[in-house]
Amino acid sequence: MTDDKKHGSALLAGLALLTSQLSINVGAAVAKHLFPLIGVEGVTAYRVGISAVLMMLVFRPWRTPLTWKQGCNVAIYGSVIGLMNLLIYRSFSRIPLGIAVAIEVAGPLTVAVLSSRRPRDFAAVCLAVVGLYFLLPIHGEVGQLDPVGVLYAAGAAVCWALYIVYGKRVSAMHGGQSVAWGMLAASMFIVPIGAWYAGAALLTPTYLLIGLAIAVMSSALPYTLEMVSMRTLSSRTFSMFSSGAPALSALAGMVVLGEHLTLTQWLAIASIVLASALTSLR
C-alpha cells in the first residue's frame, strides 16, 4: 500500500471514529430522558437488544461460522459491551453525563499508556490527564458527587479498556459480523435484566420508538464505525482518539440536556482534545 493510500485509510478511520463518538454521545443524552420512565436497565435493554436485532438482520453473521478462538473472543467482547453499557447508564443516572464520561475515559487512557512507545505519546497522555483533572469537580465540589455513580463510571472505564483490547482481536473478522455477534452476546444477559426491572413498560410504542433511535445512535452505528477504525488504527491511537469523548459528551449534555460548563471545564476539554490531536500526528 502506498503512503497516500495509508494516509487516506487513516483519515477515513479517524473520521469514522469521530462520527462514532458524536453519535454515541447524542444517543446517551437522549437515553437519559428515558431513565425515569423505564429505568436504567430498561433503556440498556433497548440499546443492546434492538441493536442486536438490527445488526443480525443486516450482516447475517451466521453465514461465516466462527472458530472456537473467535467465538471466545466475541463472547468476551460482547459481554464487555453489555456490562459497559449498563454501568455507564447507571452512572449517568447519578452524576452528570460529562463527568461520568470523563471518569470512564480513564480506560482508554490506560490502554494508551501501556501500549505507548514514544515520548510524544506519553506527553499527550499527560496532557489528557491534566485536562481530566480540571474537568472533574474535585476543587471543593467533590462531595456533591454520588460515590456510587463514580464507582459505576470507574467500572465502565475498566470495561472500555477491555473493549478496546478484545475489539482489536475480533476486528480481523468482517467488521459488521464481529459487532453483530458481539451485540448478540451482550443481549443474552442484558435484555433479561431490563425485562425484569421494567416489565411490560418496555412494550410501550412511544418508548420503543425512542429505544430504536437510542439503539441506532448509541450502539449499532458507532460500534460498526469503531470496528472499521480498529482495522486501521493502532490500539494506542484508537485509545487517544477515544479520550476526546468527554468533550463530545459535554457538548451533547449542553445541547440536549441543558448542562452548562464553567470556563475551567471548557479549558480542560480543550486540553483533552489537544492531546487526542497530538497523538494522531505523524
Side-chain angles (χ1 to χ4, degrees), residues 55 149 229 243 249 261:
M55 300 297 289
S229 68
S243 299
S249 63
L261 303 176

Side-chain angles (χ1 to χ4, degrees), residues 32 35 40 88-96 146 149 152:
K32 195 167 182 177
F35 289 166
V40 172
I88 196 60
Y89 274 4
R90 282 183 176 269
S91 180
F92 288 166
S93 69
R94 292 174 176 268
I95 61 178
D146 186 324
Y152 281 142

Side-chain angles (χ1 to χ4, degrees), residues 194-216:
W196 175 268
Y197 277 89
L202 286 178
L203 301 178
T204 304
T206 302
Y207 299 166
L208 276 170
L209 287 176
I210 300 175
L212 174 61
I214 292 171
V216 172

Side-chain angles (χ1 to χ4, degrees), residues 5-70:
K5 289 184 177 179
K6 288 181 180 179
H7 293 159
S9 297
L11 178 60
L12 289 176
L15 290 175
L17 188 53
L18 176 60
T19 303
S20 166
Q21 291 294 328
L22 287 170
S23 179
I24 203 169
N25 281 289
V26 173
V30 174
K32 195 167 182 177
H33 287 295
L34 270 187
F35 289 166
L37 303 175
I38 58 174
V40 172
E41 294 78 11
V43 177
T44 309
Y46 274 158
R47 174 176 175 175
V48 174
I50 296 177
S51 295
V53 172
L54 293 175
M55 300 297 289
M56 295 295 287
L57 290 175
V58 171
F59 292 103
R60 293 178 287 176
W62 56 83
R63 295 179 300 174
T64 305
L66 300 176
T67 64
W68 174 256
K69 183 177 180 180
Q70 288 174 332

Side-chain angles (χ1 to χ4, degrees), residues 17-221:
L17 188 53
L18 176 60
T19 303
S20 166
Q21 291 294 328
L22 287 170
S23 179
I24 203 169
N25 281 289
V26 173
V30 174
K32 195 167 182 177
H33 287 295
L34 270 187
F35 289 166
L37 303 175
I38 58 174
V40 172
E41 294 78 11
V43 177
T44 309
Y46 274 158
R47 174 176 175 175
V48 174
I50 296 177
S51 295
V53 172
L54 293 175
M55 300 297 289
M56 295 295 287
L57 290 175
V58 171
F59 292 103
R60 293 178 287 176
W62 56 83
R63 295 179 300 174
T64 305
L66 300 176
T67 64
W68 174 256
K69 183 177 180 180
Q70 288 174 332
C72 291
N73 285 332
V74 166
I76 297 174
Y77 168 71
S79 299
V80 167
I81 288 177
L83 186 57
M84 178 173 63
N85 288 337
L86 181 59
L87 289 175
I88 196 60
Y89 274 4
R90 282 183 176 269
S91 180
F92 288 166
S93 69
R94 292 174 176 268
I95 61 178
L97 188 149
I99 295 174
V101 176
I103 298 171
E104 185 190 25
V105 83
L109 278 173
T110 300
V111 174
V113 170
L114 295 178
S115 61
S116 178
R117 293 294 182 272
R118 298 182 302 173
R120 184 171 58 190
D121 292 325
F122 183 74
V125 170
C126 292
L127 186 60
V129 170
V130 170
L132 291 175
Y133 172 81
F134 286 104
L135 185 63
L136 293 172
I138 57 179
H139 307 289
E141 301 179 12
V142 68
Q144 298 178 5
L145 284 180
D146 186 324
V148 177
V150 172
L151 288 176
Y152 281 142
V158 175
C159 290
W160 197 349
L162 293 174
Y163 165 76
I164 293 173
V165 173
Y166 283 94
K168 187 69 175 177
R169 293 184 183 181
V170 303
S171 65
M173 303 163 50
H174 186 278
Q177 292 179 341
S178 303
V179 180
W181 282 123
M183 293 307 298
L184 178 63
S187 67
M188 302 244 341
F189 77 95
I190 289 297
V191 172
I193 292 175
W196 175 268
Y197 277 89
L202 286 178
L203 301 178
T204 304
T206 302
Y207 299 166
L208 276 170
L209 287 176
I210 300 175
L212 174 61
I214 292 171
V216 172
M217 289 188 294
S218 297
S219 291
L221 177 61

Side-chain angles (χ1 to χ4, degrees), residues 108-109 112 121 124-125 128 235-244 272 275-277 279-280:
L109 278 173
D121 292 325
V125 170
S235 295
R236 178 183 65 251
T237 303
F238 182 92
S239 300
M240 287 305 303
F241 262 112
S242 300
S243 299
I272 295 170
S276 298
T279 194
S280 67

